[in-house]
């Protein structure tokens, strides 16, 4: 009997793949036999990642250099990739979050930038890739969002707003996508990434605390007592991308060590 978690013969596109959860996800998908295309702005990091994936036994690995905020450039590069490499079956929408700060202090430009990077880029990619998924009778769309979808996080005003929009967009699409094409959200909690370090440094500067004190405060809120490793989140993404998750659709699943207090 074949393993329902196996991704052999499937092509995946991982956005924001140069570091953090995106990079870990590219490795997790490759480990299950998927051919992985990594997308990010830094070509040097993508070249290194591609070599890692091939060395780890990925059947095929490539990359696309693109900026998610540049819709025209993103779609042009992806159309070229599809013409050369064929359809994508698995789309992982992942991007760095907006800068911290109170929502009242946010400018219109900051909100528009966040909306372009997350909601509009994801929507454009789904529109481009859906015909191939429909033809293959198989599609998995996984969005890396945030626990702020359930409980807004202080001092992340723009991020809270944009992440909630992503969740509403995904839930709406879950009722419109054809059978065999699913969409789900991952809600990472405090995860040991460069992004979290940046947020911690911002809090430290604002409060006068050390970064170590800020991190200790986060750990105190987590029943597991530690930050997540990006690979732990990537494992769930890989599962949702697999045939084993074919009946999971339109869900927002937290990977937060139990921090959320909501049911």
């Amino acid at each position: 009997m074949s393993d329902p978690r196996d991704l052999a013969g499937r092509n995946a596109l991982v956005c924001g793949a140069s570091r953090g959860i995106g990079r870990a996800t590219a490795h997790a998908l490759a480990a299950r036999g998927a051919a992985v295309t990594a997308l990010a702005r830094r070509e040097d990091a993508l070249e290194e990642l591609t070599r890692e994936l091939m060395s780890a036994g990925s059947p095929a690995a490539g990359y696309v250099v693109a900026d998610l905020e540049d819709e025209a450039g993103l779609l042009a590069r992806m159309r070229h990739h599809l013409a050369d490499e064929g359809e994508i079956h698995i789309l992982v929408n992942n991007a760095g979050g907006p800068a911290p700060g109170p929502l009242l202090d946010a400018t219109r430009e900051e909100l528009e930038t966040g909306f372009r990077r997350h909601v509009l880029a994801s929507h454009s990619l789904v529109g481009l890739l859906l015909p191939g998924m429909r033809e293959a009778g198989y599609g998995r769309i996984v969005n890396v969002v945030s626990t702020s979808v359930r409980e807004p996080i202080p001092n992340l005003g723009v991020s809270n707003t944009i992440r909630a929009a992503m969740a509403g967009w995904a839930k709406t699409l879950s009722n419109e996508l054809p059978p065999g094409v699913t969409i789900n959200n991952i809600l990472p909690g405090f995860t040991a990434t460069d992004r979290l370090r940046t947020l911690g440094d911002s809090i430290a500067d604002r409060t006068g605390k050390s970064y170590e004190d800020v991190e200790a405060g986060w750990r105190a809120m987590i029943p597991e007592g530690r930050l997540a490793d990006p690979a732990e989140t990537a494992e769930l993404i890989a599962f949702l991308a697999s045939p084993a998750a074919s009946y999971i659709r339109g869900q927002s699943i937290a990977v937060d060590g139990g921090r959320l207090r909501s049911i």
Side-chain angles (χ1 to χ4, degrees):
M1 181 183 296
S2 62
D3 186 344
R5 297 167 297 177
D6 184 59
L7 294 173
R10 301 301 181 190
N11 300 327
L13 173 66
V14 181
C15 299
S18 62
R19 58 185 182 175
I21 292 173
R23 192 181 193 91
T25 298
H27 276 279
L29 295 173
R32 285 159 178 76
V36 178
T37 298
L39 185 148
R41 292 175 296 180
R42 292 179 49 210
E43 186 167 16
D44 58 338
L46 292 174
E47 288 178 341
E48 179 186 355
L49 174 60
T50 299
R51 289 193 294 269
E52 290 176 5
L53 297 177
M54 293 298 293
S55 296
S58 175
Y63 64 84
V64 173
V65 179
D67 186 342
L68 293 174
E69 295 174 27
D70 176 12
E71 181 183 19
L74 171 66
L75 292 180
R77 288 171 175 80
M78 281 307 306
R79 288 190 184 101
H80 181 75
H81 178 79
L82 293 175
D84 287 345
E85 305 296 336
E87 71 275 5
I88 296 290
H89 308 107
I90 299 162
L91 168 62
V92 180
N93 287 313
N94 171 61
L103 186 57
L104 283 174
D105 293 344
T107 65
R108 178 188 180 95
E109 181 181 17
E110 288 173 323
L111 285 161
E112 289 176 343
T113 297
F115 197 75
R116 281 197 306 274
R117 185 189 304 167
H118 294 272
V119 183
L120 294 185
S122 299
H123 189 70
S124 295
L125 287 172
V126 169
L128 180 65
L129 303 181
L130 181 58
M133 294 179 180
R134 191 193 302 269
E135 183 177 351
Y138 188 97
R140 299 287 187 269
I141 304 162
V142 185
N143 309 307
V144 182
V145 196
S146 168
T147 56
S148 66
V149 166
R150 300 244 177 91
E151 298 176 7
I153 300 172
N155 205 48
L156 287 180
V158 175
S159 182
N160 293 340
T161 303
I162 300 303
R163 306 299 196 178
M166 276 292 293
W169 167 79
K171 188 63 175 179
T172 302
L173 277 189
S174 73
N175 292 303
E176 298 180 5
L177 293 169
V181 180
T182 67
I183 185 168
N184 292 286
N185 302 317
I186 297 295
L187 312 182
F190 293 123
T191 307
T193 62
D194 292 344
R195 160 74 171 170
L196 189 69
R197 177 71 198 217
T198 299
L199 293 177
D201 288 340
S202 174
I203 294 171
D205 289 342
R206 181 166 50 85
T207 63
K209 297 179 179 180
S210 68
Y211 174 81
E212 289 71 24
D213 287 341
V214 172
E215 184 178 309
W218 288 335
R219 292 198 306 269
M221 293 188 285
I222 305 169
E224 276 297 313
R226 62 179 177 83
L227 304 183
D229 186 301
E232 294 175 298
T233 303
E235 286 297 317
L236 179 56
I237 295 171
F239 171 74
L240 290 174
S242 74
S246 60
Y247 211 59
I248 303 174
R249 184 181 179 112
Q251 301 303 304
S252 292
I253 306 172
V255 185
D256 69 342
R259 183 181 63 82
L260 286 178
R261 299 298 179 254
S262 56
I263 296 176

